[in-house]
């Protein structure tokens, strides 16, 4: 929870406070490079996340992938991009920490880490499964109201 909730956000906060405010000319020069790096980060971390069998590693790699969207928003040099990046920082901090908490709690209860061994987890822990599914949909930026109505 420390990595997803605080440490990744500190780097982005430094990009905003130091790059954009103290070095605005350098930020405008290097913003196309930051966009390319953010795009590569999104694709690479998401594809690496799909190959992970460990639940916490999959959440961590998807968290790093989401940070690419924030970098692209910051380097867009628009108010809308910066506001979207700040909203994503706040929401991702809560959602990522909640997913790590639920993964840790699930491990404490069933002592399984690998996803292929966790099949049928909704039967022994239905509330935990519902919360995990809800936060997973929030991580995908899908509205929970529509997902709950589909059930």
């Amino acid at each position: 929870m420390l990595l997803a909730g605080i440490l990744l956000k500190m780097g982005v906060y430094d990009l905003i406070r130091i790059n954009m405010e103290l070095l605005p000319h350098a930020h405008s020069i290097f913003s196309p490079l930051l966009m390319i790096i953010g795009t590569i980060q999104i694709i690479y971390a998401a594809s690496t996340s799909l190959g992970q069998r460990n639940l916490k590693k999959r959440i961590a790699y998807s968290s790093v992938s989401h940070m690419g969207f924030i970098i692209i928003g910051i380097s867009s040099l628009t108010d809308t991009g910066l506001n979207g990046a700040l909203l994503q920082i706040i929401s991702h901090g809560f959602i990522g920490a909640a997913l790590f908490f639920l993964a840790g709690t699930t491990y404490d209860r069933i002592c399984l880490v690998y996803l292929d061994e966790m099949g049928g987890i909704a039967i022994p822990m239905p509330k935990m499964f519902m919360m995990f599914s809800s936060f997973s949909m929030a991580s995908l930026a899908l509205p929970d109201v529509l997902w709950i109505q589909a059930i």
Side-chain angles (χ1 to χ4, degrees):
M1 288 190 299
L2 185 67
L3 175 71
I6 298 170
L7 294 178
L8 286 174
K9 310 312 178 285
M10 283 177 56
V12 176
Y13 178 75
D14 288 341
L15 268 177
I16 294 170
R17 294 293 289 185
I18 294 173
N19 257 12
M20 291 185 75
E21 291 185 9
L22 294 177
L23 308 166
H25 183 66
H27 182 72
S28 64
I29 291 172
F30 288 110
S31 64
L33 180 65
L34 280 175
M35 283 192 173
I36 293 170
I37 290 172
T39 305
I40 292 170
Q41 179 178 350
I42 291 167
I43 295 168
Y44 180 73
S47 60
T48 306
S49 173
L50 288 175
Q52 296 299 316
R53 291 180 51 222
N54 189 332
L55 179 61
K56 284 189 177 185
K57 286 184 181 179
R58 182 171 283 192
I59 294 170
Y61 277 110
S62 69
S63 176
V64 171
S65 177
H66 287 148
M67 295 307 290
F69 290 106
I70 295 171
I71 289 175
I72 290 175
I74 290 170
S75 60
S76 70
L77 301 176
T78 61
D79 289 337
T80 306
L82 184 61
N83 288 336
L86 291 174
L87 179 67
Q88 180 72 9
I89 288 170
I90 294 167
S91 68
H92 184 263
F94 288 124
I95 293 168
L99 285 173
F100 276 115
F101 172 74
L102 289 172
T105 306
T106 303
Y107 174 73
D108 287 341
R109 295 214 179 151
I110 61 172
C111 296
L112 295 174
V113 158
Y114 296 109
L115 290 170
D116 51 356
E117 298 171 353
M118 288 185 179
I121 201 167
I123 295 169
M125 298 186 304
K127 292 178 185 174
M128 188 75 67
F129 174 76
M130 184 67 179
M131 288 180 11
F132 204 96
S133 298
S134 178
F135 281 115
S136 296
M137 294 298 150
S139 179
L140 290 172
L142 293 176
D144 290 331
V145 174
L146 297 176
W147 182 77
I148 291 172
Q149 287 177 354
I151 294 176

